[in-house]
Amino acid sequence: MTTTARRFAFVDWTLRPDQDDDAPPTTYAFRCLTLTEDDTECAATSPASPDPTEPQAWTFDHMREHPEHTSYAELIERPWVMWRGCPS
Ligand SMILES: [Zn+2]
């Protein structure tokens, strides 16, 4: 009975990307994936920026400091929102 009630409470909700004017910005960052001597990830991370080219510039700065660090992951944070009712 409880499970059914819970399911009904969420039936009208839709998850969608938040593209409202007041939504938080999508941000971009890069993390260094290079494995260090003890086989752990360097994990140095650029500051997050709404401008995707800024963290790309950070990778060049990081490689200048650590010439062997050549492997990166891009971290994209995109806002989503729960929306009551079906999207129109
Ligand atoms: Zn690194």
Side-chain angles (χ1 to χ4, degrees), residues 2-73:
T2 309
T3 307
T4 306
R6 190 176 293 146
R7 204 183 272 164
F8 271 68
F10 286 99
V11 89
D12 290 335
W13 290 88
T14 305
L15 180 64
R16 65 164 174 82
D18 191 350
Q19 296 172 327
D20 291 352
D21 290 341
D22 61 349
T26 296
T27 60
Y28 304 84
F30 272 83
R31 186 178 82 236
C32 180
L33 297 179
T34 305
L35 294 178
T36 55
E37 285 149 19
D38 59 355
D39 250 18
T40 58
E41 198 179 276
C42 166
T45 305
S46 76
S49 170
D51 176 356
T53 62
E54 266 179 40
Q56 289 173 19
W58 173 88
T59 64
F60 287 92
D61 292 341
H62 187 66
M63 199 178 74
R64 215 166 285 130
E65 279 178 53
H66 308 277
E68 70 281 14
H69 292 200
T70 56
S71 186
Y72 297 90

